[in-house]
Amino acid sequence: MAASIESLFVEIASLEEPIEELQTLKTAVLSIPVSALRDTVSGLRLEVIFSLLNTNDREKIELCVDILGRILLALSPVHLAQNCRVELQAGLKHPDDTVKILALTQLIVDISSVSPVSLGYCANSSFISQLLGELTGDDVLVRATAIEMVTTLSHSQHGRQYLAQQGIMDKISNMITGAKSDPFSSFYLPGLVKFFGNLAIMDSPQHVCETYPAFQNKVFEMAIDPDPVMTGVALDTLGVLGSTVEGKQVLQKTGEKFNAVLKRMSKLASGGATELRVRCLEAISLLITLQAEQQTEDLLVLTESWFHLLSNQPMEMIRNISTQPFPELHCSALRIFTAIAPQPWGQRLMIGTPGFMEFIVDRSTGPTKEAKDAKFELVGALVSSSTAADILGSQHYLRLRSYLREGAYYVAAVATVTTEGAD
């Protein structure tokens, strides 16, 4: 196969319209594992394929992009930066977005993410400046892709430092503010919010929310937006922010603003599209989770107050959701109980809710593997808590330990009696 790929490169270089040969080459490079393809293509003249991008022939462009995408995946970012600089620059300037985005933009970001040196190379070669310029381009779809790429770049510390030096955080904050007056902002606004959500976790929730208040305000707006796409992004972002102690404290400082959002989350969790309900329940579980080492008096008061904002009877509300015939809802509801299980106030609610301890050890609820795993995790969270035995009582605690010892998939043996002479 290696020989055929090399010969195809030679043949394509000699033809004016090598459509059939490109189709054959595409099949060849896709049929070889990436690890094996690396040795085959490392010495090939990729400019043969790059040069064919200079056309308006859509079929030819798509074939070249597919071939290059596979080959570029096999080669190391450093190799590409050293050997394909001119071709990459030409690709980034191509008028066709298929060429400029689907293959090359991701590649430039991958190269830049390797190390500060590789980032410096791409920056000095104007690759990154072209990408950043797309953030405010006229094409909203290109803008959305550019935002996604910038978010990927921010995953590395040197990437975040570079973006800060270039004023990108301020630019994206201003884009969030200006989105109100842009009728097409729904295409790229979720990406802007995801960028800052990622930044908050990588950096500091307090620093990000205080430095870029437009981000936090927009998240709260989106949480009550009737558009399920906007709401879903807001829920995911709130869950990410609230998964850390610092993030919880930032949200608490907003007072009634966040309380209103929690009440909205309660309504979303109780009814509506299943996918949005699941995302809502997952966000709630992250917001009220506290590890044992995080359980200060103030934080325990905080998570308990948030839980009670969900409903006048939050335990019943979540248990009712868990009994509905949707496995994903069942598991997400159980994860909320798992979140409060290590916290003393959560244990007091459990023992004080009629029938709840029996519900926990009832193996007939949730027949799927995921449901059994979620129930087992809940039991484990209770058993491992240092306060559970005293609060729940020895009888319940011993039953939970027995459940844990039996395992997640334990099935009690059922005795059968046969009668002599029966059919």
Side-chain angles (χ1 to χ4, degrees):
M1 183 63 75
S4 65
I5 289 178
E6 292 174 6
S7 61
L8 280 168
F9 263 77
V10 173
E11 189 174 358
I12 289 169
S14 65
L15 298 173
E16 289 188 10
E17 294 297 331
I19 292 294
E20 291 186 12
E21 290 75 13
L22 286 171
Q23 290 171 337
T24 304
L25 179 58
K26 175 184 173 181
T27 301
V29 298
L30 290 176
S31 66
I32 301 176
V34 171
S35 57
L37 186 62
R38 184 173 298 116
D39 294 334
T40 303
V41 300
S42 59
L44 295 177
R45 292 171 52 231
L46 295 184
E47 64 268 22
V48 169
I49 308 299
F50 274 107
S51 65
L52 294 175
L53 293 171
N54 297 318
T55 179
N56 294 321
D57 186 329
R58 188 73 183 178
E59 182 183 8
K60 188 186 292 186
I61 288 174
E62 290 181 355
L63 282 169
C64 290
V65 167
D66 289 341
I67 292 166
L68 286 170
R70 181 69 170 180
I71 291 175
L72 298 179
L73 190 64
L75 296 173
S76 73
V78 174
H79 173 91
L80 293 167
Q82 291 174 344
N83 297 284
C84 301
R85 174 180 174 180
V86 175
E87 290 82 2
L88 291 172
Q89 281 185 322
L92 285 173
K93 293 176 181 177
H94 199 285
D96 192 298
D97 288 339
T98 303
V99 177
K100 189 165 59 177
I101 295 168
L102 296 183
L104 301 184
T105 305
Q106 179 66 60
L107 179 65
I108 297 302
V109 171
D110 289 345
I111 294 172
S112 301
S113 299
V114 171
S115 70
V117 173
S118 62
L119 171 59
Y121 182 91
C122 290
N124 293 335
S125 302
S126 76
F127 293 151
I128 299 297
S129 61
Q130 291 181 53
L131 169 61
L132 299 182
E134 300 287 6
L135 285 174
T136 51
D138 294 332
D139 189 323
V140 292
L141 296 180
V142 173
R143 189 184 302 179
T145 302
I147 293 164
E148 185 179 336
M149 296 299 102
V150 168
T151 300
T152 301
L153 185 58
S154 72
H155 289 167
S156 65
Q157 185 176 4
H158 64 271
R160 291 194 297 278
Q161 289 174 342
Y162 176 81
L163 293 173
Q165 290 166 1
Q166 300 299 312
I168 297 304
M169 282 70 164
D170 291 325
K171 178 179 284 190
I172 292 180
S173 178
N174 291 335
M175 289 173 68
I176 289 177
T177 302
K180 289 182 180 179
S181 57
D182 184 355
F184 299 105
S185 63
S186 61
F187 287 101
Y188 60 85
L189 184 57
L192 300 177
V193 170
K194 288 178 183 177
F195 170 82
F196 276 118
N198 172 75
L199 194 65
I201 294 305
M202 295 284 185
D203 203 348
S204 157
Q206 181 176 346
H207 172 74
V208 170
C209 290
E210 289 182 356
T211 307
Y212 309 103
F215 157 62
Q216 187 175 345
N217 292 335
K218 181 57 67 174
V219 172
F220 287 172
E221 284 180 26
M222 290 167 66
I224 58 176
D225 194 299
D227 183 345
V229 174
M230 296 298 173
T231 306
V233 172
L235 291 172
D236 296 345
T237 305
L238 288 168
V240 168
L241 281 175
S243 65
T244 67
V245 167
E246 186 178 314
K248 287 176 170 62
Q249 293 167 334
V250 167
L251 294 171
Q252 181 193 28
K253 287 180 183 177
T254 67
E256 282 304 314
K257 283 186 178 180
F258 183 63
N259 290 350
V261 168
L262 269 177
K263 292 172 183 176
R264 161 75 168 162
M265 291 173 72
S266 172
K267 291 180 180 179
L268 289 172
S270 299
T274 301
E275 181 194 357
L276 202 58
R277 295 179 69 188
V278 168
R279 290 167 79 175
C280 192
L281 291 168
E282 294 293 339
I284 291 170
S285 69
L286 290 170
L287 286 163
I288 61 176
T289 293
L290 274 183
Q291 303 302 328
E293 66 274 11
Q294 300 170 337
Q295 292 182 17
T296 64
E297 184 177 346
D298 289 345
L299 287 171
L300 286 168
V301 169
L302 171 62
T303 53
E304 183 178 9
S305 67
W306 283 356
F307 187 70
H308 283 285
L309 278 172
L310 297 174
S311 166
N312 291 331
Q313 297 290 332
M315 293 293 287
E316 284 303 316
M317 169 193 159
I318 303 301
R319 183 161 63 172
N320 287 340
I321 294 173
S322 77
T323 59
Q324 294 174 17
F326 301 98
E328 56 269 52
L329 284 178
H330 175 78
C331 292
S332 295
L334 286 181
R335 277 191 276 276
I336 291 182
F337 290 137
T338 302
I340 69 172
Q343 303 177 60
W345 62 263
Q347 295 163 14
R348 287 191 289 270
L349 282 177
M350 290 178 177
I351 195 64
T353 301
F356 190 82
M357 298 309 299
E358 291 73 20
F359 163 77
I360 293 179
V361 296
D362 183 358
R363 291 185 181 271
S364 67
T365 61
T368 67
K369 177 184 183 301
E370 292 76 15
K372 293 179 187 297
D373 289 341
K375 179 70 76 70
F376 191 72
E377 186 179 350
L378 167 57
V379 173
L382 282 169
V383 170
S384 62
S385 168
S386 61
T387 59
D390 289 338
I391 294 175
L392 301 178
S394 58
Q395 181 179 351
H396 289 303
Y397 185 73
L398 291 173
R399 180 66 191 93
L400 291 170
R401 288 188 60 179
S402 175
Y403 187 109
L404 204 64
R405 187 171 58 252
E406 291 164 355
Y409 314 115
Y410 174 78
V411 178
V414 178
T416 58
V417 179
T418 57
T419 303
E420 186 176 352
D423 294 337

